[in-house]
Each structure stands twice: as structure tokens, then as C-alpha cells.
Amino acid sequence: MSIKFSVYKTPRPKGSKDNLEHARLVSRGTKGLEEICRDLSDACTVNSADIKGVLEALTVYMGRELGYGYSIELDGIGHFSPALRTRKISEENGKIRFSVSVDGVNFRCSNRLKEMVKEERPKKVKGKMFLPNPSKPGKKRCWNISASMKASMNRIMQS
């Protein structure tokens, strides 16, 4: 399988006459924990429930350690660190102080993982199709697909 993309026009800055375009990923969807555990279990001798337990324990561990101010390096995956937000506050007496809060988690991908993803050659797709969005019942999602795939999907949807 390869990474699919579609090309879109980039909004022009005021005064610019250039017609810019950019590529956007056409997502195949999102892999959830259940599917990941099942796939990993199929690839090794550890069962799905054990994998899920380890990932849950890792999540709790990482949340606690990041909260204590540590950074976490997972070899082959990447580096996690707490993200901070700083706000400047002007007080009535003219003094300036700063308010700092935790804003989330930074992630920096490992070179190994980055190189694995870079091995794929992206392929351009054409056309758009709106299909039901499984993650949001009652809503439709725009999918960029080739004309032949669109015809096949229309046949499937009509049967």
C-alpha cells in the first residue's frame, strides 16, 4: 500500500499573483487500539489482551513521568516531552509577569520511523466522493479517489 495524496489550490496572500498548490494526505482512516493490538498479536507470540495491557500501562507511565517533567525516548518511535504555554500578563501597577501552563505533549519522530515512512512513494489520486463517515454517524466524509474507484464504489453503494 502507498500513501495517497490530492493537490489543492493554496489561498493566495494579498497582493500575490502566484497560483500556488499543495499536496494533502488522503487518509485511509485511523487505526484504533483494538485493531493495533490484533495486528501486533498476529505478527508475534503475544496475545492481544497482553499487548493492550502493556500499552495501557505505558500510557499511564508516560502521563505520570511527563507530568513530573521528564522527557521520554522510545527507541525506534520517538521522543516525547511536556509542551508549555507562556502568557504575558500586565498587572495594574505596570509590572509584567508570565503565566506558564502545560499545553500538551510534544512528539519528535525518530529517524528510524521517519525513514520507514519515507520509503513509500506517494501516489496522486483524482476526484472526490462523499461517503458515510464511520466515526461520525449521520455525517459524510469527503474522500479523494480515482475515477475507476469512484465507479466501483457507486456500483457497490447501489447494490
Side-chain angles (χ1 to χ4, degrees):
M1 290 202 183
S2 64
I3 295 172
K4 306 280 187 197
F5 72 93
S6 216
V7 177
Y8 293 84
K9 290 181 181 173
T10 303
R12 292 189 307 196
K14 290 183 179 179
S16 174
K17 294 182 181 180
D18 295 334
N19 286 327
L20 303 174
E21 294 182 338
H22 65 280
R24 272 192 221 159
L25 173 72
V26 176
S27 176
R28 293 182 183 275
T30 301
K31 296 281 186 168
L33 184 61
E34 294 295 327
E35 187 176 1
I36 292 168
C37 291
R38 191 172 47 251
D39 289 349
L40 291 175
S41 178
D42 291 344
C44 66
T45 60
V46 181
N47 70 46
S48 181
D50 288 343
I51 293 169
K52 187 174 183 178
V54 168
L55 291 176
E56 179 59 32
L58 179 62
T59 301
V60 171
Y61 174 83
M62 288 177 68
R64 183 183 67 233
E65 298 304 311
L66 289 166
Y68 289 158
Y70 287 97
S71 292
I72 297 172
E73 179 77 33
L74 296 178
D75 291 339
I77 294 176
H79 183 91
F80 299 82
S81 62
L84 300 178
R85 167 182 267 173
T86 306
R87 287 191 1 224
K88 186 177 178 179
I89 300 171
S90 299
E91 295 182 348
E92 291 177 10
N93 60 7
K95 288 187 176 183
I96 295 174
R97 67 182 182 93
F98 295 94
S99 170
V100 180
S101 60
V102 177
D103 192 38
V105 176
N106 295 320
F107 172 70
R108 190 173 64 241
C109 183
S110 74
N111 287 335
R112 178 180 172 210
L113 183 58
K114 197 181 303 183
E115 291 305 317
M116 290 170 70
V117 175
K118 281 181 166 183
E119 288 176 6
E120 293 296 327
R121 287 194 52 104
K123 293 183 180 164
K124 185 176 178 181
V125 295
K126 297 176 183 176
K128 291 185 180 179
M129 182 173 214
F130 290 88
L131 296 173
N133 187 343
S135 63
K136 296 178 183 170
K139 299 215 174 200
K140 292 191 175 196
R141 181 174 179 180
C142 176
W143 297 86
N144 292 303
I145 58 174
S146 66
S148 61
M149 178 65 103
K150 189 174 188 177
S152 297
M153 291 300 295
N154 282 330
R155 282 194 300 275
I156 292 169
M157 298 292 276
Q158 290 172 356
S159 46

